[in-house]
Amino acid sequence: MQLEAYKISDHNDKLQEAHQRKLSYWTEEVANAEEVIKKLIDFQIAIPSWALGTGGTRFGRFPGGGEPRSLEEKIEDVGLLHALNQSSGAISLHIPWDIPKDGEAIKNLAASFGLRFDAMNSNTFQDQPNQEHSYKFGSLQHVDRAVRQQAIEHNIDVIRHGVALGSDSLTVWLSDGSCFPGQLNFRKAFERTLESLQEIYAALPDNWKVFVEYKAFEPNFYSMTVGDWGSSLLFANKLGPKAYTLVDLGHHLPNANIEQIVSLLLMEGKLGGFHFNDSKYGDDDLTVGSIRPYQLFLIFNELIEGMDAKGMNHATDLGWMIDASHNVKDPLEDLLQSVEAIQLAYAQALLVDRLALEEARNGNDVVRAQEILQEAYRTDVRPLVAEARRRAGGALNPLTLFRQLNIRQQLIGERGLKTIATGL
Ligand code: LRH
Ligand code: MN
């Protein structure tokens, strides 16, 4: 479904007066308000193609209706999100869940919604129908060369699909590992995985990057071969300059200091990108900023500090992607909330007085340093984020408009109640 521009301008017109009143404080009082608004307009977040339907767990899945039945309908849904918030200008595909039958046609369809293709994701954590070799005991780490070869060829196939769509990066997340002590020779598993990744690396086009995504546990529950930022960095360093680490916020052991990990990976020039979500316990894949919004702010604070230290472009030099699963929320509403939470954390972090913060740190003024950070975090930047959307042609309040237009009902009307989207 296409969202007509007049529906967005009608919505904004009704909210304009209240919005201007809130915004005036900013534009009159805050020196870098304009700079922040411009940065927010440029900051695009990729939407995962596997999170446009209702997610589930081993205990159950409760589809809400109107889910996309094809890649084309998934692109339409991401187009809808982007029309509403003008901050979701990319889609990240997962193969084979979303194989583009006609790459050119899919590329043009996405472009008609103002969308580009972000990182491609391979899948050697599930066995496909009529697959010759099983990944039960791993893929790139497998003791059997034939299984590794099958997984290597799949990744090279995913790169081929990505080239046809204009993508320029591959995310490799491996469920490889072990469930019991004794099951795996950790060193040999690492070496076989490295050898396999080197063959995939050799197939990367010159301008491509490969992101090595780490995860502490699940679906293996004793060891994961790419289990933490250290092992991911080892792989990225041994593979070469086109290889980077990918930080999925839900892939850490409890109480890990993710903002410190981000700072060090940036310092090493080996941070490739993010899978944003939130969690309280494990890889819960919850709405971004719904459980630990302060941690998200602290991560963006380190991102800006580290990216500015290297003169990096905030909008284009890292991969900004969401990776979430929606068990109880409408997938599109959940994604609108996640994009909003990311934009808010980025805007707050842009307000941090970095000179004053360094001065406080150099004086070991711990209280002052915290006050400077929390001054920014406790600032209501919603008018800035809304203004960035308005100037880019989006809705001042995307979620309200999504509901006012009964978009889910319209999608159910078009697609039916029982449609199931491919993905998690
Ligand atoms: C693994 C992961 C990975 C995806 C999958 C859908 O937990 O985060 O990024 O391939 O979710
Ligand atoms: Mn992920």
Side-chain angles (χ1 to χ4, degrees), residues 50 94 97 121-122 125 171 173 213 215 218 248 251 275 283 285 323 424:
W50 60 92
H94 220 297
W97 291 337
N121 298 267
S122 60
F125 51 86
T171 294
W173 171 66
E213 182 178 2
K215 184 173 183 178
E218 188 205 37
D248 183 314
H251 287 188
H275 279 180
D283 187 20
D285 280 343
D323 181 0
L424 274 187

Side-chain angles (χ1 to χ4, degrees), residues 259-318:
E259 55 270 27
Q260 183 184 20
I261 293 170
V262 166
S263 169
L264 299 181
L265 291 173
L266 258 178
M267 175 185 74
E268 290 298 289
K270 277 299 188 182
L271 178 63
F274 282 85
H275 279 180
F276 289 111
N277 48 55
D278 210 338
S279 52
K280 187 165 183 56
Y281 303 105
D283 187 20
D284 311 342
D285 280 343
L286 300 175
T287 316
V288 182
S290 61
I291 307 289
R292 292 181 276 195
Y294 191 49
Q295 175 183 264
L296 184 67
F297 162 76
L298 293 174
I299 288 169
F300 269 95
N301 178 53
E302 293 304 333
L303 279 168
I304 292 168
E305 200 282 329
M307 293 181 89
D308 291 354
K310 285 184 177 285
M312 293 168 73
N313 178 303
H314 293 182
T316 57
D317 290 348
L318 287 181

Side-chain angles (χ1 to χ4, degrees), residues 49-63:
S49 63
W50 60 92
L52 295 163
T54 302
T57 73
R58 57 186 166 164
F59 302 106
R61 179 181 185 164
F62 309 92

Side-chain angles (χ1 to χ4, degrees), residues 91-106:
I91 182 169
S92 183
L93 295 190
H94 220 297
I95 306 291
W97 291 337
D98 307 297
I99 293 180
K101 296 186 187 48
D102 173 344
E104 205 50 36
I106 289 289

Side-chain angles (χ1 to χ4, degrees), residues 236-402:
N237 283 339
K238 290 175 184 290
L239 286 168
K242 292 191 275 188
Y244 297 83
T245 63
L246 186 140
V247 177
D248 183 314
L249 299 190
H251 287 188
H252 299 83
L253 294 172
N255 308 321
N257 187 325
I258 303 176
E259 55 270 27
Q260 183 184 20
I261 293 170
V262 166
S263 169
L264 299 181
L265 291 173
L266 258 178
M267 175 185 74
E268 290 298 289
K270 277 299 188 182
L271 178 63
F274 282 85
H275 279 180
F276 289 111
N277 48 55
D278 210 338
S279 52
K280 187 165 183 56
Y281 303 105
D283 187 20
D284 311 342
D285 280 343
L286 300 175
T287 316
V288 182
S290 61
I291 307 289
R292 292 181 276 195
Y294 191 49
Q295 175 183 264
L296 184 67
F297 162 76
L298 293 174
I299 288 169
F300 269 95
N301 178 53
E302 293 304 333
L303 279 168
I304 292 168
E305 200 282 329
M307 293 181 89
D308 291 354
K310 285 184 177 285
M312 293 168 73
N313 178 303
H314 293 182
T316 57
D317 290 348
L318 287 181
W320 309 110
M321 297 162 272
I322 290 173
D323 181 0
S325 176
H326 326 287
N327 301 351
V328 293
K329 289 182 178 180
D330 179 295
L332 298 181
E333 294 189 352
D334 198 334
L335 290 163
L336 287 172
Q337 289 184 306
S338 282
V339 171
E340 171 88 358
I342 294 166
Q343 292 270 22
L344 292 173
Y346 179 41
Q348 289 165 329
L350 286 169
L351 297 179
V352 171
D353 182 341
R354 298 195 176 279
L355 286 181
L357 182 59
E358 282 314 296
E359 196 187 288
R361 286 167 170 171
N362 295 337
N364 296 312
D365 186 343
V366 181
V367 171
R368 176 119 182 76
Q370 181 184 323
E371 287 302 313
I372 291 164
L373 273 190
Q374 295 195 330
E375 168 70 24
Y377 178 68
R378 292 170 175 158
T379 302
D380 181 2
V381 294
R382 289 176 294 179
L384 284 182
V385 173
E387 177 62 8
R389 276 195 299 267
R390 187 192 67 76
R391 291 185 192 182
L396 280 169
N397 193 321
L399 196 52
T400 301
L401 185 55
F402 179 91

